[in-house]
Amino acid sequence: MAQPNLTIALSQINPLMGDVVGNVLKIREEYYEADGRGVDLAVFPELCLTGSPLEGLADDGDLPGVVEEGLQVLRAATKGRRAALVVGAPQRDADRFFSAALVFEDGEVSGCFRKRGLPGDGAVETVLDSTRNPMKARVTRIFEFFDKQARDAADEAEASIADADPIRNHGDMVVVVIGRDIWRPDTAARFKAAGAELLVSINACPFRPRILQTRIRDITALRVSETGLPLVYVNAVGGQDTTVFDGGSFVLDSQGRCLVQMPQWEECATDCELARPFAAGNELFPAPEEEIYRSLVLALGDYVRKSGFSDVVIGMSGGMDSAMVAALAGDALGPRHVHCVRLPSEFTSDLSNSAAADMCEKWGFSMATVSIGGLIATATDALVPATPNGLRKLTRENMQARARGFLLMTLSNEHNWLLLATGNKSEIAMGYATLYGDMCGGYTPLKDIFKTTVYSLARWRNGNRPDGLKGPEGVVIPTEIIDRPPSAELAPGQLDTDSLPPYPILDAILSELLEHDTPVSLVPSKGFEPELVDTVFRMLKSAEYKRRQGAPGPIITDKGFRRVPVVNRFDPSQRERLREMADGK
């Protein structure tokens, strides 16, 4: 680096969606603190001014004006101060929305980088260089990518800039890359050709299992290897509806060594002095269960708090899913903010009642017991005029789930507690849940978690309690809950396997269909019975109408659930019929 003392502050913050005032106050406070420490550059995540993802807010006509006022506050905050400020905010260009990085220094706008996005989408990319004061930057050129011709012209312009002495003689050239633009080799290579000496990548990158390894080893390390440039990666942290950002910001030196690795799942800030000689760093990656569990804790806690709630209520059945949701809530909010309700029927086993009580005692959750027997009897009697032949078995089972949902929603209304639904991805995929019953709730923490993963998380939590979790240590999910066969207990001796394949088999088939997009016809080649695969596929397809009405939950896989038409006659077997038709049959 041209300057021997370039110090950068990385601030991974948890913005509140749409709260531009609150987010500006948080950014300004952290910026002042960083400036007080004598840093040269303070970097904040992508879209931190508004929160991300904006979804329909991007079309709100008032948003650009509010954002502009917020940016003016931050610009003014840098007046007379040493540190330059990089902040992510939405911008509009005519009718186009894009993610931008604004650079402020000494009360002035030093530059605006715009997310490139897909070629041809009208996104704008800039090259930013600095003067001998390493943070005194100016925009040298804006490249618009509307078509191939414009992109070719931009490449030629960049080549000429790379040969221009003023760029090379102006000290450190800092370039900001936004989001997944850093995944594109051509982006970093062009900036390198234009004279860049440092890459700063600001992100609102959602959590996915093993994503930290992907970011460091498979993406950014490649950009460093290709360009020989050090790289600063700052990621957002926090939950937003169905998205969870895990933080995990880091700095790689020009050799690809990890100089700084910030924690995941928590707001924090740290400084890095790039000019100082560092020893080779060792990246620290959490176990798969830890990264999933802690991401769910972060997503749940943020959804509750950002929605204006402090407490949650859970129907505690004594089964695995309700126990896991209660554990996540206890670790996210603290045990005194979790209220559990047992809702036994005539089919509820003593084991379920005792396991639920044991779980609540271990955590210190409040627990109430409300029997649903009287409510079921009253409802059954009231329905006699309309059902003279009595109720079908399935109807009677669903009544129990709906009675529980009714009582839990009543408690939610009465105490202003957010009701958490306890369904997991396996059950939601199969429609093994009752509308307006056990699907009731404002949030579904396990919505993207297969049943087999729920068990893995429970075993992991019983042996681990990382810093930042608010629950107790030790075996906090009773082993009798983990070891017992899964059952909805809506009928005598009922087990989940009466209606579903064993979960290890079911989850493996669902993984092929949902997460790997394996054609149904090829799934049996993975070792599954064709008839079973066909049954799972048809149940998955027919449950779409239920999924449309379910509460949101954190999505931690690339696929989640595809949104398909509810009224939908598509069937892969049509291929065979079409072949017959082509043969004249």
Side-chain angles (χ1 to χ4, degrees), residues 371-390:
S371 175
I372 66 171
L375 187 58
I376 296 295
T378 300
T380 302
D381 291 343
L383 288 167
V384 168
T387 56
N389 297 322

PDB file of all heavy atoms in Angstrom, residues 371-390:
ATOM      1  N   SER A 371     -56.765 -27.759  29.559  1.00  0.00           N
ATOM      2  CA  SER A 371     -57.300 -28.950  28.898  1.00  0.00           C
ATOM      3  C   SER A 371     -58.234 -28.546  27.762  1.00  0.00           C
ATOM      4  O   SER A 371     -59.004 -27.580  27.872  1.00  0.00           O
ATOM      5  CB  SER A 371     -58.050 -29.818  29.904  1.00  0.00           C
ATOM      6  OG  SER A 371     -58.671 -30.901  29.239  1.00  0.00           O
ATOM      7  N   ILE A 372     -58.160 -29.285  26.655  1.00  0.00           N
ATOM      8  CA  ILE A 372     -59.046 -28.981  25.522  1.00  0.00           C
ATOM      9  C   ILE A 372     -60.270 -29.886  25.495  1.00  0.00           C
ATOM     10  O   ILE A 372     -61.130 -29.733  24.623  1.00  0.00           O
ATOM     11  CB  ILE A 372     -58.294 -29.108  24.188  1.00  0.00           C
ATOM     12  CG1 ILE A 372     -57.880 -30.562  23.920  1.00  0.00           C
ATOM     13  CG2 ILE A 372     -57.093 -28.176  24.154  1.00  0.00           C
ATOM     14  CD1 ILE A 372     -57.327 -30.779  22.514  1.00  0.00           C
ATOM     15  N   GLY A 373     -60.369 -30.807  26.466  1.00  0.00           N
ATOM     16  CA  GLY A 373     -61.475 -31.762  26.431  1.00  0.00           C
ATOM     17  C   GLY A 373     -62.841 -31.107  26.452  1.00  0.00           C
ATOM     18  O   GLY A 373     -63.735 -31.457  25.664  1.00  0.00           O
ATOM     19  N   GLY A 374     -63.033 -30.147  27.350  1.00  0.00           N
ATOM     20  CA  GLY A 374     -64.338 -29.487  27.448  1.00  0.00           C
ATOM     21  C   GLY A 374     -64.684 -28.718  26.185  1.00  0.00           C
ATOM     22  O   GLY A 374     -65.839 -28.718  25.735  1.00  0.00           O
ATOM     23  N   LEU A 375     -63.705 -28.065  25.597  1.00  0.00           N
ATOM     24  CA  LEU A 375     -63.946 -27.295  24.374  1.00  0.00           C
ATOM     25  C   LEU A 375     -64.334 -28.217  23.227  1.00  0.00           C
ATOM     26  O   LEU A 375     -65.242 -27.905  22.440  1.00  0.00           O
ATOM     27  CB  LEU A 375     -62.683 -26.497  24.020  1.00  0.00           C
ATOM     28  CG  LEU A 375     -62.781 -25.504  22.858  1.00  0.00           C
ATOM     29  CD1 LEU A 375     -63.872 -24.474  23.114  1.00  0.00           C
ATOM     30  CD2 LEU A 375     -61.443 -24.800  22.646  1.00  0.00           C
ATOM     31  N   ILE A 376     -63.670 -29.370  23.109  1.00  0.00           N
ATOM     32  CA  ILE A 376     -63.994 -30.329  22.063  1.00  0.00           C
ATOM     33  C   ILE A 376     -65.408 -30.856  22.246  1.00  0.00           C
ATOM     34  O   ILE A 376     -66.194 -30.967  21.279  1.00  0.00           O
ATOM     35  CB  ILE A 376     -62.983 -31.491  22.062  1.00  0.00           C
ATOM     36  CG1 ILE A 376     -61.578 -30.989  21.710  1.00  0.00           C
ATOM     37  CG2 ILE A 376     -63.431 -32.591  21.106  1.00  0.00           C
ATOM     38  CD1 ILE A 376     -61.446 -30.447  20.319  1.00  0.00           C
ATOM     39  N   ALA A 377     -65.768 -31.183  23.495  1.00  0.00           N
ATOM     40  CA  ALA A 377     -67.115 -31.704  23.758  1.00  0.00           C
ATOM     41  C   ALA A 377     -68.179 -30.671  23.409  1.00  0.00           C
ATOM     42  O   ALA A 377     -69.209 -30.999  22.793  1.00  0.00           O
ATOM     43  CB  ALA A 377     -67.232 -32.120  25.225  1.00  0.00           C
ATOM     44  N   THR A 378     -67.954 -29.427  23.799  1.00  0.00           N
ATOM     45  CA  THR A 378     -68.914 -28.361  23.495  1.00  0.00           C
ATOM     46  C   THR A 378     -69.068 -28.169  21.992  1.00  0.00           C
ATOM     47  O   THR A 378     -70.183 -28.037  21.469  1.00  0.00           O
ATOM     48  CB  THR A 378     -68.463 -27.046  24.150  1.00  0.00           C
ATOM     49  OG1 THR A 378     -68.390 -27.224  25.564  1.00  0.00           O
ATOM     50  CG2 THR A 378     -69.435 -25.922  23.833  1.00  0.00           C
ATOM     51  N   ALA A 379     -67.938 -28.162  21.267  1.00  0.00           N
ATOM     52  CA  ALA A 379     -67.988 -27.986  19.815  1.00  0.00           C
ATOM     53  C   ALA A 379     -68.678 -29.161  19.142  1.00  0.00           C
ATOM     54  O   ALA A 379     -69.470 -28.988  18.196  1.00  0.00           O
ATOM     55  CB  ALA A 379     -66.581 -27.806  19.265  1.00  0.00           C
ATOM     56  N   THR A 380     -68.409 -30.371  19.612  1.00  0.00           N
ATOM     57  CA  THR A 380     -69.040 -31.557  19.020  1.00  0.00           C
ATOM     58  C   THR A 380     -70.547 -31.519  19.214  1.00  0.00           C
ATOM     59  O   THR A 380     -71.318 -31.803  18.282  1.00  0.00           O
ATOM     60  CB  THR A 380     -68.454 -32.828  19.641  1.00  0.00           C
ATOM     61  OG1 THR A 380     -67.036 -32.851  19.448  1.00  0.00           O
ATOM     62  CG2 THR A 380     -69.066 -34.066  19.009  1.00  0.00           C
ATOM     63  N   ASP A 381     -70.977 -31.147  20.417  1.00  0.00           N
ATOM     64  CA  ASP A 381     -72.419 -31.052  20.676  1.00  0.00           C
ATOM     65  C   ASP A 381     -73.063 -29.970  19.814  1.00  0.00           C
ATOM     66  O   ASP A 381     -74.165 -30.144  19.288  1.00  0.00           O
ATOM     67  CB  ASP A 381     -72.666 -30.743  22.158  1.00  0.00           C
ATOM     68  CG  ASP A 381     -72.311 -31.911  23.066  1.00  0.00           C
ATOM     69  OD1 ASP A 381     -72.191 -33.045  22.546  1.00  0.00           O
ATOM     70  OD2 ASP A 381     -72.139 -31.687  24.280  1.00  0.00           O
ATOM     71  N   ALA A 382     -72.374 -28.857  19.649  1.00  0.00           N
ATOM     72  CA  ALA A 382     -72.933 -27.761  18.861  1.00  0.00           C
ATOM     73  C   ALA A 382     -73.088 -28.142  17.397  1.00  0.00           C
ATOM     74  O   ALA A 382     -73.966 -27.603  16.697  1.00  0.00           O
ATOM     75  CB  ALA A 382     -72.045 -26.528  18.988  1.00  0.00           C
ATOM     76  N   LEU A 383     -72.273 -29.076  16.927  1.00  0.00           N
ATOM     77  CA  LEU A 383     -72.305 -29.462  15.517  1.00  0.00           C
ATOM     78  C   LEU A 383     -73.304 -30.567  15.210  1.00  0.00           C
ATOM     79  O   LEU A 383     -73.503 -30.917  14.033  1.00  0.00           O
ATOM     80  CB  LEU A 383     -70.903 -29.920  15.081  1.00  0.00           C
ATOM     81  CG  LEU A 383     -69.844 -28.818  14.950  1.00  0.00           C
ATOM     82  CD1 LEU A 383     -68.461 -29.426  14.823  1.00  0.00           C
ATOM     83  CD2 LEU A 383     -70.144 -27.938  13.733  1.00  0.00           C
ATOM     84  N   VAL A 384     -73.936 -31.118  16.215  1.00  0.00           N
ATOM     85  CA  VAL A 384     -74.859 -32.241  15.996  1.00  0.00           C
ATOM     86  C   VAL A 384     -75.936 -31.921  14.966  1.00  0.00           C
ATOM     87  O   VAL A 384     -76.201 -32.727  14.055  1.00  0.00           O
ATOM     88  CB  VAL A 384     -75.476 -32.695  17.327  1.00  0.00           C
ATOM     89  CG1 VAL A 384     -76.646 -33.642  17.074  1.00  0.00           C
ATOM     90  CG2 VAL A 384     -74.428 -33.380  18.192  1.00  0.00           C
ATOM     91  N   PRO A 385     -76.597 -30.754  15.014  1.00  0.00           N
ATOM     92  CA  PRO A 385     -77.639 -30.490  14.003  1.00  0.00           C
ATOM     93  C   PRO A 385     -77.109 -30.516  12.575  1.00  0.00           C
ATOM     94  O   PRO A 385     -77.845 -30.848  11.642  1.00  0.00           O
ATOM     95  CB  PRO A 385     -78.130 -29.086  14.378  1.00  0.00           C
ATOM     96  CG  PRO A 385     -77.823 -28.943  15.827  1.00  0.00           C
ATOM     97  CD  PRO A 385     -76.535 -29.671  16.018  1.00  0.00           C
ATOM     98  N   ALA A 386     -75.834 -30.168  12.392  1.00  0.00           N
ATOM     99  CA  ALA A 386     -75.260 -30.131  11.044  1.00  0.00           C
ATOM    100  C   ALA A 386     -74.543 -31.428  10.671  1.00  0.00           C
ATOM    101  O   ALA A 386     -74.193 -31.626   9.506  1.00  0.00           O
ATOM    102  CB  ALA A 386     -74.286 -28.959  10.922  1.00  0.00           C
ATOM    103  N   THR A 387     -74.302 -32.292  11.663  1.00  0.00           N
ATOM    104  CA  THR A 387     -73.604 -33.560  11.408  1.00  0.00           C
ATOM    105  C   THR A 387     -74.358 -34.689  12.115  1.00  0.00           C
ATOM    106  O   THR A 387     -73.863 -35.269  13.087  1.00  0.00           O
ATOM    107  CB  THR A 387     -72.159 -33.494  11.899  1.00  0.00           C
ATOM    108  OG1 THR A 387     -72.160 -33.145  13.302  1.00  0.00           O
ATOM    109  CG2 THR A 387     -71.353 -32.446  11.127  1.00  0.00           C
ATOM    110  N   PRO A 388     -75.565 -35.009  11.649  1.00  0.00           N
ATOM    111  CA  PRO A 388     -76.374 -36.011  12.356  1.00  0.00           C
ATOM    112  C   PRO A 388     -75.736 -37.393  12.393  1.00  0.00           C
ATOM    113  O   PRO A 388     -76.061 -38.203  13.275  1.00  0.00           O
ATOM    114  CB  PRO A 388     -77.680 -36.023  11.552  1.00  0.00           C
ATOM    115  CG  PRO A 388     -77.320 -35.460  10.212  1.00  0.00           C
ATOM    116  CD  PRO A 388     -76.238 -34.477  10.461  1.00  0.00           C
ATOM    117  N   ASN A 389     -74.820 -37.683  11.466  1.00  0.00           N
ATOM    118  CA  ASN A 389     -74.168 -38.994  11.444  1.00  0.00           C
ATOM    119  C   ASN A 389     -72.828 -38.991  12.180  1.00  0.00           C
ATOM    120  O   ASN A 389     -72.073 -39.962  12.110  1.00  0.00           O
ATOM    121  CB  ASN A 389     -73.950 -39.451   9.999  1.00  0.00           C
ATOM    122  CG  ASN A 389     -75.252 -39.649   9.261  1.00  0.00           C
ATOM    123  OD1 ASN A 389     -76.230 -40.137   9.838  1.00  0.00           O
ATOM    124  ND2 ASN A 389     -75.288 -39.256   7.988  1.00  0.00           N
ATOM    125  N   GLY A 390     -72.546 -37.899  12.866  1.00  0.00           N
ATOM    126  CA  GLY A 390     -71.292 -37.809  13.596  1.00  0.00           C
ATOM    127  C   GLY A 390     -70.151 -37.311  12.724  1.00  0.00           C
ATOM    128  O   GLY A 390     -70.298 -37.098  11.520  1.00  0.00           O
TER     129      GLY A 390
END
